[in-house]
Amino acid sequence: MDGGIDSRRKRVLDELYRGFRTVAHGGYLYLCDMKYDYSRWSVEAVQDFGLPGNYMVRAGEIWEQCIHPDDREGYHQSIEDIFAGRDRGHDMQYRVKNTAGRYVVCTCRGTVLWDEQGQPDYFVGSIHNHGQENNVDPLTGFQNQYGLFETLKMLYAKKQPANIMMLGVGHFSTINEMWGYDFGNIVIHKLVQLLKKTFRNEGMLYRLDGVRFVLLTRTLSLDELARRYEALYQDISLRLEVDGYRPNLEICGSALEIEDFDIDPQTMFSCLTYAYVSSREKGNGSFRIFHRELDADRNNLLVLVNAVRKSIENNCAGFVLYYQPIVEAATGRLCGSEALLRWENPEFGLVPPNRFIPIIENDPAFVHLGEWILRKAMEDTKPFLAVFPDFELNVNISYDQIKQDNFVQLVRRNLDAAGFPARNLCLEITERCRLLDMERLAAIVSELQSIGVRFAIDDFGTGYSSMSILNSMKFDVVKIDKSFVDGVAAGGRELRLVKVMHDMAGLYGARVCAEGVETKEQCDILRECGIDCIQGYYFSRPVEVETFRERFVKQA
Ligand code: C2E
Ligand code: CA
Ligand code: CA
C-alpha cells in the first residue's frame, strides 16, 4: 500500500507536506513523491471526495475517476505530460464528483520540483473547490456569471492584474432553429472542448447566458489573446463540423485589461460586453480590445464610464435633462419637447449621451437612471401643461429598460407619483427593440396606450426592420431620422424616401416628425411633403429646463 517508498523518502514527504500546509492559503493540498508515485493529500479532500485515504499510491488515477468524464481527457493529458517531464505544472479547472454525488467545479494548480539532476522529484499543488452548484453551468461545467463576479471581486480585493476576454457565437438561436437543439448542444460541446484545449493552464473559463464565454487569465497578454482568438476563429468557422455538416457560426470576441483597481468590476464587465456587442454587430469575427479605446477627447473611456456609474449610484447626481422643442410644421406652434440626457462632471465637462449610454445600457445600474429620467422629465415639464394642455413630453426608452418585466408598472407608478397625465407622455423607442419578442413588445405598447400613453418610433428608416415593426404594433408618431432630412434639400433619393416614409406612416395612422432640421429650406420642403412636426437646431438646440420655459412657455 505504500508503493515501496523507503522510510527516508516518506519522512521527507511528510516534512515537505507539513511545510506547505503551514504556508498554504486555503484549498486542498496534495504532495506527490514522483519517484514512487506516492502522495499525501489533505484530509478535507479525502472527506469531501471520498478518497481511499490521505496517503495514496497513483493518486492521479484515483483522482481522475472522480473527475467528470467530459473533463478527464484534459486532466489525463496534463498528468502524463507532467510525469514525462514535458510540463512543469498545471493550472486547470474541471468538475469533480463529491461524496454527495454532485459535481463541483475545482481549480487545480500544481508545480513540479526537480532533483539535483533536473529530474521530476515532487509534484505539489492545491485544489480550490468553487462548490456552489448555482454558480455552475450544467452543460459545460464552467462557472457562470455569478462565479465570474466572485472571482473579479477577489482579484480586486487582492489587486491582482489580469486580462479578460469574452468570446461567443452571435445569433445562435438560428442554429437551434435550423438544425435542432441536439445539434446546437453538440456544437456547444465542441466549442467548449476547443476552448479548454486552447486555454489549458492559462486561466479560468466561465459561461454566460447564450453561447458566450469569458476567459480570465493572468498569463496571456492582450496581443496573445488576439492571436489565440484568431486561431480559434479559423478553427471554428472553417473547420468545426457536426455529422459532416459545417454550421455557419458568427464568432465574436472582445478583451480588456484589468489593471486599474479604482474601476468597479461591473464597469469592466459593461465595457467588455459593449466591445463584444460591437464585434458582433461589425461581423466577420473582428476582435475588439476595449482597453485601448478612447473617447473623442482622448479620455480613457473606462474611467469615464466608471464615473458615470458612480453618479448613478449617487442618486443620479450630475445628470441633467435638456429639452428640445418640437413644433407643428404648418404653424411653427410648440407642440412638445424631447428630453435629452446630459452628464456634467468637473473632470469631463458636459458629456453628451452618445458617449456613455450605448456602453452602460446593458448595465444593471442603467435601470435606475432610466427611471430617474422618466420621473425628472415629468417633474420638470408638468408646470408647462397649465399653459399648453396638449404639450407632449417625449422620453427616450432604451431596449434594456423596456425588456424589464415590470416596465408597464414602472411607467404607471411614475405617472401616478408625478400626477402627470398619461396622454401628455410619448415614449420613444428605436428599432433595436425588435430584439425583444415582437408579441411581447406589442403587448407592452398596447397596454400603455390603453391608459393614454403614446409611442413614437425613433430614428425611423435606419434599422433593418422599419417596415415589420410598423406592421406589428400601432405607433402614434414616426420620427424620421436626421440622415434623411440632411439630404432633402438636394432633392434626390432622400426627398423621395421622406415622401415614402410619410405615406407609409399615414397608412398606419401615425403622425410624422422630422428630426435634425437645421435650415429654413429643409423646413419648407418638409412642410410641403406634409410632415406634421419638426425638431431641430433650426428652431432650437436642446436647452436647460429654465431656458426652455423662458423661451417657449412664458411668451405663450
Ligand atoms: P435621439 O433620440 O435621436 O435624439 C436626437 C439627437 O439629435 C439629440 O442628440 C439632439 O441634440 C440631436 N439633434 C436635434 N436636432 C439636431 C439638429 O438640427 N442637428 C444636429 N446635428 N443634431 C440635432 P443628443 O442629445 O446628443 O442625444 C443623442 C442620443 O442619445 C439620442 O438620439 C438618444 O438615442 C440618446 N439619448 C439621449 N437622451 C436619452 C435618454 O434620456 N434616454 C435614452 N435611453 N437615450 C437618450
Ligand atoms: Ca429620440
Ligand atoms: Ca432620433
Side-chain angles (χ1 to χ4, degrees), residues 321 324 338-342 352-354 357 366 373 396-398 401 428 458-459 482 515-518 535-537 542:
L321 288 176
Q324 187 176 32
E338 177 172 1
L340 293 159
L341 187 67
R342 302 287 179 267
N354 281 340
I357 287 187
F366 189 73
I373 294 168
N396 292 290
I397 300 294
S398 76
Q401 279 172 283
E428 295 192 5
D458 202 358
D459 305 337
K482 179 175 183 299
E515 291 187 294
V517 179
E518 292 183 342
Q535 177 184 355
Y537 291 175

PDB file of all heavy atoms in Angstrom, residues 321 324 338-342 352-354 357 366 373 396-398 401 428 458-459 482 515-518 535-537 542, ligand 1:
ATOM      1  N   LEU A 321     -31.346  66.988 -17.530  1.00  0.00           N
ATOM      2  CA  LEU A 321     -32.114  66.798 -18.758  1.00  0.00           C
ATOM      3  C   LEU A 321     -32.185  68.125 -19.492  1.00  0.00           C
ATOM      4  O   LEU A 321     -32.458  69.174 -18.892  1.00  0.00           O
ATOM      5  CB  LEU A 321     -33.517  66.291 -18.433  1.00  0.00           C
ATOM      6  CG  LEU A 321     -33.587  64.844 -17.957  1.00  0.00           C
ATOM      7  CD1 LEU A 321     -35.016  64.475 -17.577  1.00  0.00           C
ATOM      8  CD2 LEU A 321     -33.071  63.879 -19.029  1.00  0.00           C
ATOM      9  N   GLN A 324     -35.535  69.872 -26.057  1.00  0.00           N
ATOM     10  CA  GLN A 324     -35.530  70.461 -27.390  1.00  0.00           C
ATOM     11  C   GLN A 324     -36.974  70.567 -27.863  1.00  0.00           C
ATOM     12  O   GLN A 324     -37.730  69.591 -27.804  1.00  0.00           O
ATOM     13  CB  GLN A 324     -34.734  69.572 -28.353  1.00  0.00           C
ATOM     14  CG  GLN A 324     -34.555  70.229 -29.713  1.00  0.00           C
ATOM     15  CD  GLN A 324     -33.682  69.401 -30.651  1.00  0.00           C
ATOM     16  OE1 GLN A 324     -33.684  68.170 -30.586  1.00  0.00           O
ATOM     17  NE2 GLN A 324     -32.942  70.075 -31.511  1.00  0.00           N
ATOM     18  N   GLU A 338     -38.544  67.063 -26.562  1.00  0.00           N
ATOM     19  CA  GLU A 338     -37.888  65.780 -26.279  1.00  0.00           C
ATOM     20  C   GLU A 338     -36.894  66.001 -25.140  1.00  0.00           C
ATOM     21  O   GLU A 338     -36.105  66.956 -25.172  1.00  0.00           O
ATOM     22  CB  GLU A 338     -37.141  65.265 -27.524  1.00  0.00           C
ATOM     23  CG  GLU A 338     -36.385  63.965 -27.233  1.00  0.00           C
ATOM     24  CD  GLU A 338     -35.785  63.280 -28.462  1.00  0.00           C
ATOM     25  OE1 GLU A 338     -35.931  63.810 -29.590  1.00  0.00           O
ATOM     26  OE2 GLU A 338     -35.152  62.222 -28.281  1.00  0.00           O
ATOM     27  N   ALA A 339     -36.949  65.129 -24.141  1.00  0.00           N
ATOM     28  CA  ALA A 339     -35.993  65.209 -23.030  1.00  0.00           C
ATOM     29  C   ALA A 339     -34.704  64.511 -23.459  1.00  0.00           C
ATOM     30  O   ALA A 339     -34.752  63.367 -23.905  1.00  0.00           O
ATOM     31  CB  ALA A 339     -36.577  64.537 -21.799  1.00  0.00           C
ATOM     32  N   LEU A 340     -33.576  65.202 -23.330  1.00  0.00           N
ATOM     33  CA  LEU A 340     -32.293  64.627 -23.752  1.00  0.00           C
ATOM     34  C   LEU A 340     -31.296  64.680 -22.596  1.00  0.00           C
ATOM     35  O   LEU A 340     -31.093  65.731 -21.985  1.00  0.00           O
ATOM     36  CB  LEU A 340     -31.766  65.359 -24.974  1.00  0.00           C
ATOM     37  CG  LEU A 340     -32.631  65.157 -26.233  1.00  0.00           C
ATOM     38  CD1 LEU A 340     -32.407  66.253 -27.245  1.00  0.00           C
ATOM     39  CD2 LEU A 340     -32.371  63.781 -26.846  1.00  0.00           C
ATOM     40  N   LEU A 341     -30.698  63.556 -22.316  1.00  0.00           N
ATOM     41  CA  LEU A 341     -29.853  63.411 -21.144  1.00  0.00           C
ATOM     42  C   LEU A 341     -28.458  64.011 -21.355  1.00  0.00           C
ATOM     43  O   LEU A 341     -27.871  63.889 -22.436  1.00  0.00           O
ATOM     44  CB  LEU A 341     -29.722  61.915 -20.840  1.00  0.00           C
ATOM     45  CG  LEU A 341     -29.014  61.526 -19.563  1.00  0.00           C
ATOM     46  CD1 LEU A 341     -29.823  61.957 -18.349  1.00  0.00           C
ATOM     47  CD2 LEU A 341     -28.773  60.022 -19.522  1.00  0.00           C
ATOM     48  N   ARG A 342     -27.943  64.643 -20.305  1.00  0.00           N
ATOM     49  CA  ARG A 342     -26.555  65.122 -20.292  1.00  0.00           C
ATOM     50  C   ARG A 342     -25.941  64.692 -18.967  1.00  0.00           C
ATOM     51  O   ARG A 342     -26.644  64.523 -17.978  1.00  0.00           O
ATOM     52  CB  ARG A 342     -26.500  66.661 -20.371  1.00  0.00           C
ATOM     53  CG  ARG A 342     -27.173  67.268 -21.582  1.00  0.00           C
ATOM     54  CD  ARG A 342     -26.341  67.028 -22.838  1.00  0.00           C
ATOM     55  NE  ARG A 342     -26.953  67.568 -24.028  1.00  0.00           N
ATOM     56  CZ  ARG A 342     -27.748  66.875 -24.837  1.00  0.00           C
ATOM     57  NH1 ARG A 342     -28.056  65.633 -24.558  1.00  0.00           N
ATOM     58  NH2 ARG A 342     -28.248  67.429 -25.916  1.00  0.00           N
ATOM     59  N   PRO A 352     -22.158  64.489 -23.742  1.00  0.00           N
ATOM     60  CA  PRO A 352     -23.383  64.084 -24.437  1.00  0.00           C
ATOM     61  C   PRO A 352     -23.661  62.596 -24.266  1.00  0.00           C
ATOM     62  O   PRO A 352     -22.747  61.803 -24.030  1.00  0.00           O
ATOM     63  CB  PRO A 352     -23.098  64.420 -25.902  1.00  0.00           C
ATOM     64  CG  PRO A 352     -21.622  64.460 -26.022  1.00  0.00           C
ATOM     65  CD  PRO A 352     -21.066  64.803 -24.675  1.00  0.00           C
ATOM     66  N   PRO A 353     -24.918  62.219 -24.379  1.00  0.00           N
ATOM     67  CA  PRO A 353     -25.327  60.843 -24.059  1.00  0.00           C
ATOM     68  C   PRO A 353     -24.726  59.766 -24.959  1.00  0.00           C
ATOM     69  O   PRO A 353     -24.546  58.640 -24.517  1.00  0.00           O
ATOM     70  CB  PRO A 353     -26.851  60.877 -24.200  1.00  0.00           C
ATOM     71  CG  PRO A 353     -27.136  62.047 -25.065  1.00  0.00           C
ATOM     72  CD  PRO A 353     -26.072  63.045 -24.804  1.00  0.00           C
ATOM     73  N   ASN A 354     -24.429  60.124 -26.211  1.00  0.00           N
ATOM     74  CA  ASN A 354     -23.891  59.098 -27.119  1.00  0.00           C
ATOM     75  C   ASN A 354     -22.583  58.498 -26.630  1.00  0.00           C
ATOM     76  O   ASN A 354     -22.212  57.398 -27.009  1.00  0.00           O
ATOM     77  CB  ASN A 354     -23.634  59.685 -28.508  1.00  0.00           C
ATOM     78  CG  ASN A 354     -24.924  59.785 -29.275  1.00  0.00           C
ATOM     79  OD1 ASN A 354     -25.883  59.104 -28.942  1.00  0.00           O
ATOM     80  ND2 ASN A 354     -24.949  60.648 -30.274  1.00  0.00           N
ATOM     81  N   ILE A 357     -24.249  56.267 -23.015  1.00  0.00           N
ATOM     82  CA  ILE A 357     -25.461  55.428 -22.978  1.00  0.00           C
ATOM     83  C   ILE A 357     -25.249  54.076 -23.666  1.00  0.00           C
ATOM     84  O   ILE A 357     -25.565  53.042 -23.088  1.00  0.00           O
ATOM     85  CB  ILE A 357     -26.699  56.175 -23.520  1.00  0.00           C
ATOM     86  CG1 ILE A 357     -27.129  57.211 -22.489  1.00  0.00           C
ATOM     87  CG2 ILE A 357     -27.864  55.195 -23.782  1.00  0.00           C
ATOM     88  CD1 ILE A 357     -28.425  57.912 -22.797  1.00  0.00           C
ATOM     89  N   PHE A 366     -28.274  50.933 -15.094  1.00  0.00           N
ATOM     90  CA  PHE A 366     -28.966  51.804 -16.041  1.00  0.00           C
ATOM     91  C   PHE A 366     -30.467  51.876 -15.767  1.00  0.00           C
ATOM     92  O   PHE A 366     -31.106  52.882 -16.050  1.00  0.00           O
ATOM     93  CB  PHE A 366     -28.711  51.345 -17.484  1.00  0.00           C
ATOM     94  CG  PHE A 366     -29.227  52.324 -18.504  1.00  0.00           C
ATOM     95  CD1 PHE A 366     -28.576  53.525 -18.719  1.00  0.00           C
ATOM     96  CD2 PHE A 366     -30.389  52.063 -19.216  1.00  0.00           C
ATOM     97  CE1 PHE A 366     -29.058  54.440 -19.642  1.00  0.00           C
ATOM     98  CE2 PHE A 366     -30.884  52.970 -20.136  1.00  0.00           C
ATOM     99  CZ  PHE A 366     -30.219  54.165 -20.348  1.00  0.00           C
ATOM    100  N   ILE A 373     -34.788  59.435 -15.244  1.00  0.00           N
ATOM    101  CA  ILE A 373     -35.065  60.269 -16.420  1.00  0.00           C
ATOM    102  C   ILE A 373     -36.572  60.493 -16.572  1.00  0.00           C
ATOM    103  O   ILE A 373     -37.046  61.619 -16.747  1.00  0.00           O
ATOM    104  CB  ILE A 373     -34.485  59.621 -17.709  1.00  0.00           C
ATOM    105  CG1 ILE A 373     -32.960  59.599 -17.654  1.00  0.00           C
ATOM    106  CG2 ILE A 373     -34.961  60.346 -18.963  1.00  0.00           C
ATOM    107  CD1 ILE A 373     -32.296  58.727 -18.721  1.00  0.00           C
ATOM    108  N   ASN A 396     -36.948  59.204 -24.212  1.00  0.00           N
ATOM    109  CA  ASN A 396     -36.308  58.064 -24.883  1.00  0.00           C
ATOM    110  C   ASN A 396     -36.261  56.860 -23.953  1.00  0.00           C
ATOM    111  O   ASN A 396     -35.867  56.978 -22.794  1.00  0.00           O
ATOM    112  CB  ASN A 396     -34.878  58.420 -25.291  1.00  0.00           C
ATOM    113  CG  ASN A 396     -34.858  59.460 -26.380  1.00  0.00           C
ATOM    114  OD1 ASN A 396     -35.219  59.181 -27.521  1.00  0.00           O
ATOM    115  ND2 ASN A 396     -34.480  60.680 -26.028  1.00  0.00           N
ATOM    116  N   ILE A 397     -36.643  55.730 -24.473  1.00  0.00           N
ATOM    117  CA  ILE A 397     -36.609  54.490 -23.686  1.00  0.00           C
ATOM    118  C   ILE A 397     -35.693  53.510 -24.417  1.00  0.00           C
ATOM    119  O   ILE A 397     -35.872  53.268 -25.609  1.00  0.00           O
ATOM    120  CB  ILE A 397     -38.030  53.887 -23.578  1.00  0.00           C
ATOM    121  CG1 ILE A 397     -38.990  54.864 -22.892  1.00  0.00           C
ATOM    122  CG2 ILE A 397     -38.004  52.548 -22.858  1.00  0.00           C
ATOM    123  CD1 ILE A 397     -38.694  55.143 -21.432  1.00  0.00           C
ATOM    124  N   SER A 398     -34.724  52.971 -23.693  1.00  0.00           N
ATOM    125  CA  SER A 398     -33.810  52.060 -24.377  1.00  0.00           C
ATOM    126  C   SER A 398     -34.335  50.626 -24.293  1.00  0.00           C
ATOM    127  O   SER A 398     -35.187  50.306 -23.465  1.00  0.00           O
ATOM    128  CB  SER A 398     -32.404  52.142 -23.768  1.00  0.00           C
ATOM    129  OG  SER A 398     -32.406  51.450 -22.554  1.00  0.00           O
ATOM    130  N   GLN A 401     -34.347  48.949 -20.947  1.00  0.00           N
ATOM    131  CA  GLN A 401     -35.383  49.344 -19.991  1.00  0.00           C
ATOM    132  C   GLN A 401     -36.692  48.619 -20.277  1.00  0.00           C
ATOM    133  O   GLN A 401     -37.328  48.094 -19.382  1.00  0.00           O
ATOM    134  CB  GLN A 401     -35.672  50.847 -20.136  1.00  0.00           C
ATOM    135  CG  GLN A 401     -34.717  51.742 -19.437  1.00  0.00           C
ATOM    136  CD  GLN A 401     -35.010  53.181 -19.817  1.00  0.00           C
ATOM    137  OE1 GLN A 401     -34.665  53.639 -20.894  1.00  0.00           O
ATOM    138  NE2 GLN A 401     -35.684  53.885 -18.927  1.00  0.00           N
ATOM    139  N   GLU A 428     -40.343  57.247 -26.727  1.00  0.00           N
ATOM    140  CA  GLU A 428     -39.653  56.991 -27.999  1.00  0.00           C
ATOM    141  C   GLU A 428     -38.857  55.698 -27.888  1.00  0.00           C
ATOM    142  O   GLU A 428     -38.001  55.566 -27.015  1.00  0.00           O
ATOM    143  CB  GLU A 428     -38.687  58.142 -28.326  1.00  0.00           C
ATOM    144  CG  GLU A 428     -39.394  59.455 -28.569  1.00  0.00           C
ATOM    145  CD  GLU A 428     -38.460  60.520 -29.175  1.00  0.00           C
ATOM    146  OE1 GLU A 428     -37.289  60.204 -29.490  1.00  0.00           O
ATOM    147  OE2 GLU A 428     -38.919  61.667 -29.332  1.00  0.00           O
ATOM    148  N   ASP A 458     -38.410  55.883 -33.048  1.00  0.00           N
ATOM    149  CA  ASP A 458     -37.303  56.837 -33.199  1.00  0.00           C
ATOM    150  C   ASP A 458     -36.354  56.388 -34.309  1.00  0.00           C
ATOM    151  O   ASP A 458     -36.275  55.192 -34.605  1.00  0.00           O
ATOM    152  CB  ASP A 458     -36.538  56.874 -31.861  1.00  0.00           C
ATOM    153  CG  ASP A 458     -35.750  58.151 -31.681  1.00  0.00           C
ATOM    154  OD1 ASP A 458     -35.749  58.994 -32.592  1.00  0.00           O
ATOM    155  OD2 ASP A 458     -35.129  58.297 -30.610  1.00  0.00           O
ATOM    156  N   ASP A 459     -35.633  57.328 -34.890  1.00  0.00           N
ATOM    157  CA  ASP A 459     -34.604  57.041 -35.911  1.00  0.00           C
ATOM    158  C   ASP A 459     -35.169  56.168 -37.029  1.00  0.00           C
ATOM    159  O   ASP A 459     -34.492  55.262 -37.533  1.00  0.00           O
ATOM    160  CB  ASP A 459     -33.395  56.309 -35.288  1.00  0.00           C
ATOM    161  CG  ASP A 459     -32.801  57.073 -34.123  1.00  0.00           C
ATOM    162  OD1 ASP A 459     -33.002  58.297 -34.050  1.00  0.00           O
ATOM    163  OD2 ASP A 459     -32.137  56.448 -33.274  1.00  0.00           O
ATOM    164  N   LYS A 482     -32.479  62.050 -38.878  1.00  0.00           N
ATOM    165  CA  LYS A 482     -31.751  63.201 -39.428  1.00  0.00           C
ATOM    166  C   LYS A 482     -31.037  62.858 -40.744  1.00  0.00           C
ATOM    167  O   LYS A 482     -30.926  63.706 -41.636  1.00  0.00           O
ATOM    168  CB  LYS A 482     -30.749  63.679 -38.383  1.00  0.00           C
ATOM    169  CG  LYS A 482     -29.905  64.848 -38.804  1.00  0.00           C
ATOM    170  CD  LYS A 482     -29.024  65.326 -37.654  1.00  0.00           C
ATOM    171  CE  LYS A 482     -28.222  66.553 -38.040  1.00  0.00           C
ATOM    172  NZ  LYS A 482     -27.301  66.318 -39.170  1.00  0.00           N
ATOM    173  N   GLU A 515     -36.653  64.899 -37.725  1.00  0.00           N
ATOM    174  CA  GLU A 515     -35.628  65.272 -36.739  1.00  0.00           C
ATOM    175  C   GLU A 515     -34.419  65.917 -37.415  1.00  0.00           C
ATOM    176  O   GLU A 515     -34.137  65.619 -38.576  1.00  0.00           O
ATOM    177  CB  GLU A 515     -35.076  64.020 -36.066  1.00  0.00           C
ATOM    178  CG  GLU A 515     -35.996  63.295 -35.173  1.00  0.00           C
ATOM    179  CD  GLU A 515     -35.240  62.182 -34.463  1.00  0.00           C
ATOM    180  OE1 GLU A 515     -34.785  61.229 -35.117  1.00  0.00           O
ATOM    181  OE2 GLU A 515     -35.083  62.298 -33.254  1.00  0.00           O
ATOM    182  N   GLY A 516     -33.707  66.725 -36.671  1.00  0.00           N
ATOM    183  CA  GLY A 516     -32.437  67.251 -37.174  1.00  0.00           C
ATOM    184  C   GLY A 516     -32.601  68.277 -38.294  1.00  0.00           C
ATOM    185  O   GLY A 516     -31.776  68.362 -39.195  1.00  0.00           O
ATOM    186  N   VAL A 517     -33.671  69.054 -38.211  1.00  0.00           N
ATOM    187  CA  VAL A 517     -33.917  70.085 -39.234  1.00  0.00           C
ATOM    188  C   VAL A 517     -33.047  71.303 -38.893  1.00  0.00           C
ATOM    189  O   VAL A 517     -33.153  71.860 -37.805  1.00  0.00           O
ATOM    190  CB  VAL A 517     -35.413  70.477 -39.256  1.00  0.00           C
ATOM    191  CG1 VAL A 517     -35.662  71.563 -40.285  1.00  0.00           C
ATOM    192  CG2 VAL A 517     -36.261  69.247 -39.505  1.00  0.00           C
ATOM    193  N   GLU A 518     -32.186  71.677 -39.818  1.00  0.00           N
ATOM    194  CA  GLU A 518     -31.212  72.737 -39.496  1.00  0.00           C
ATOM    195  C   GLU A 518     -31.427  74.027 -40.282  1.00  0.00           C
ATOM    196  O   GLU A 518     -30.913  75.078 -39.914  1.00  0.00           O
ATOM    197  CB  GLU A 518     -29.782  72.215 -39.714  1.00  0.00           C
ATOM    198  CG  GLU A 518     -29.429  71.131 -38.693  1.00  0.00           C
ATOM    199  CD  GLU A 518     -27.998  70.620 -38.799  1.00  0.00           C
ATOM    200  OE1 GLU A 518     -27.365  70.819 -39.837  1.00  0.00           O
ATOM    201  OE2 GLU A 518     -27.544  69.999 -37.814  1.00  0.00           O
ATOM    202  N   GLN A 535     -38.377  69.030 -35.583  1.00  0.00           N
ATOM    203  CA  GLN A 535     -37.484  69.196 -34.437  1.00  0.00           C
ATOM    204  C   GLN A 535     -36.092  69.417 -34.986  1.00  0.00           C
ATOM    205  O   GLN A 535     -35.670  68.700 -35.900  1.00  0.00           O
ATOM    206  CB  GLN A 535     -37.546  67.912 -33.596  1.00  0.00           C
ATOM    207  CG  GLN A 535     -36.631  67.881 -32.397  1.00  0.00           C
ATOM    208  CD  GLN A 535     -36.691  66.527 -31.660  1.00  0.00           C
ATOM    209  OE1 GLN A 535     -37.485  65.655 -31.991  1.00  0.00           O
ATOM    210  NE2 GLN A 535     -35.815  66.379 -30.683  1.00  0.00           N
ATOM    211  N   GLY A 536     -35.388  70.408 -34.489  1.00  0.00           N
ATOM    212  CA  GLY A 536     -34.026  70.591 -34.992  1.00  0.00           C
ATOM    213  C   GLY A 536     -33.412  71.910 -34.581  1.00  0.00           C
ATOM    214  O   GLY A 536     -34.083  72.775 -34.025  1.00  0.00           O
ATOM    215  N   TYR A 537     -32.120  72.045 -34.851  1.00  0.00           N
ATOM    216  CA  TYR A 537     -31.384  73.252 -34.464  1.00  0.00           C
ATOM    217  C   TYR A 537     -31.971  74.494 -35.118  1.00  0.00           C
ATOM    218  O   TYR A 537     -31.770  75.605 -34.652  1.00  0.00           O
ATOM    219  CB  TYR A 537     -29.900  73.133 -34.867  1.00  0.00           C
ATOM    220  CG  TYR A 537     -29.109  72.111 -34.086  1.00  0.00           C
ATOM    221  CD1 TYR A 537     -27.776  71.836 -34.421  1.00  0.00           C
ATOM    222  CD2 TYR A 537     -29.667  71.436 -33.003  1.00  0.00           C
ATOM    223  CE1 TYR A 537     -27.032  70.912 -33.715  1.00  0.00           C
ATOM    224  CE2 TYR A 537     -28.929  70.499 -32.295  1.00  0.00           C
ATOM    225  CZ  TYR A 537     -27.620  70.238 -32.664  1.00  0.00           C
ATOM    226  OH  TYR A 537     -26.877  69.317 -31.955  1.00  0.00           O
ATOM    227  N   PRO A 542     -31.146  71.687 -27.959  1.00  0.00           N
ATOM    228  CA  PRO A 542     -31.675  71.318 -26.639  1.00  0.00           C
ATOM    229  C   PRO A 542     -31.160  72.317 -25.599  1.00  0.00           C
ATOM    230  O   PRO A 542     -29.996  72.724 -25.664  1.00  0.00           O
ATOM    231  CB  PRO A 542     -31.073  69.930 -26.400  1.00  0.00           C
ATOM    232  CG  PRO A 542     -30.675  69.428 -27.743  1.00  0.00           C
ATOM    233  CD  PRO A 542     -30.288  70.635 -28.538  1.00  0.00           C
TER     234      PRO A 542
HETATM  235  P1  C2E B   1     -32.046  60.855 -30.482  1.00  0.00           P
HETATM  236  O1  C2E B   1     -33.105  60.276 -29.599  1.00  0.00           O
HETATM  237  O2  C2E B   1     -32.170  60.616 -31.932  1.00  0.00           O
HETATM  238  O3  C2E B   1     -32.035  62.392 -30.150  1.00  0.00           O
HETATM  239  C1  C2E B   1     -31.855  63.398 -31.103  1.00  0.00           C
HETATM  240  C2  C2E B   1     -30.441  63.845 -31.122  1.00  0.00           C
HETATM  241  O4  C2E B   1     -30.246  64.714 -32.249  1.00  0.00           O
HETATM  242  C3  C2E B   1     -30.066  64.665 -29.903  1.00  0.00           C
HETATM  243  O5  C2E B   1     -28.706  64.412 -29.627  1.00  0.00           O
HETATM  244  C4  C2E B   1     -30.234  66.096 -30.406  1.00  0.00           C
HETATM  245  O6  C2E B   1     -29.477  67.032 -29.681  1.00  0.00           O
HETATM  246  C5  C2E B   1     -29.729  65.951 -31.815  1.00  0.00           C
HETATM  247  N1  C2E B   1     -30.282  66.979 -32.684  1.00  0.00           N
HETATM  248  C6  C2E B   1     -31.507  67.543 -32.671  1.00  0.00           C
HETATM  249  N2  C2E B   1     -31.640  68.431 -33.645  1.00  0.00           N
HETATM  250  C7  C2E B   1     -30.482  68.459 -34.321  1.00  0.00           C
HETATM  251  C8  C2E B   1     -30.001  69.202 -35.460  1.00  0.00           C
HETATM  252  O7  C2E B   1     -30.685  70.016 -36.051  1.00  0.00           O
HETATM  253  N3  C2E B   1     -28.737  68.946 -35.865  1.00  0.00           N
HETATM  254  C9  C2E B   1     -27.948  68.058 -35.247  1.00  0.00           C
HETATM  255  N4  C2E B   1     -26.727  67.863 -35.693  1.00  0.00           N
HETATM  256  N5  C2E B   1     -28.361  67.334 -34.170  1.00  0.00           N
HETATM  257  C10 C2E B   1     -29.626  67.547 -33.723  1.00  0.00           C
HETATM  258  P2  C2E B   1     -28.215  64.080 -28.183  1.00  0.00           P
HETATM  259  O8  C2E B   1     -28.954  64.880 -27.175  1.00  0.00           O
HETATM  260  O9  C2E B   1     -26.735  64.168 -28.198  1.00  0.00           O
HETATM  261  O10 C2E B   1     -28.661  62.584 -27.979  1.00  0.00           O
HETATM  262  C11 C2E B   1     -28.107  61.580 -28.735  1.00  0.00           C
HETATM  263  C12 C2E B   1     -28.799  60.281 -28.493  1.00  0.00           C
HETATM  264  O11 C2E B   1     -28.610  59.808 -27.172  1.00  0.00           O
HETATM  265  C13 C2E B   1     -30.290  60.357 -28.676  1.00  0.00           C
HETATM  266  O12 C2E B   1     -30.622  60.332 -30.026  1.00  0.00           O
HETATM  267  C14 C2E B   1     -30.739  59.135 -27.934  1.00  0.00           C
HETATM  268  O13 C2E B   1     -30.556  57.983 -28.715  1.00  0.00           O
HETATM  269  C15 C2E B   1     -29.750  59.076 -26.787  1.00  0.00           C
HETATM  270  N6  C2E B   1     -30.385  59.704 -25.634  1.00  0.00           N
HETATM  271  C16 C2E B   1     -30.433  60.991 -25.278  1.00  0.00           C
HETATM  272  N7  C2E B   1     -31.116  61.145 -24.138  1.00  0.00           N
HETATM  273  C17 C2E B   1     -31.527  59.921 -23.772  1.00  0.00           C
HETATM  274  C18 C2E B   1     -32.303  59.426 -22.666  1.00  0.00           C
HETATM  275  O14 C2E B   1     -32.787  60.158 -21.805  1.00  0.00           O
HETATM  276  N8  C2E B   1     -32.521  58.079 -22.615  1.00  0.00           N
HETATM  277  C19 C2E B   1     -32.035  57.247 -23.572  1.00  0.00           C
HETATM  278  N9  C2E B   1     -32.295  55.945 -23.472  1.00  0.00           N
HETATM  279  N10 C2E B   1     -31.318  57.682 -24.612  1.00  0.00           N
HETATM  280  C20 C2E B   1     -31.067  59.004 -24.715  1.00  0.00           C
END
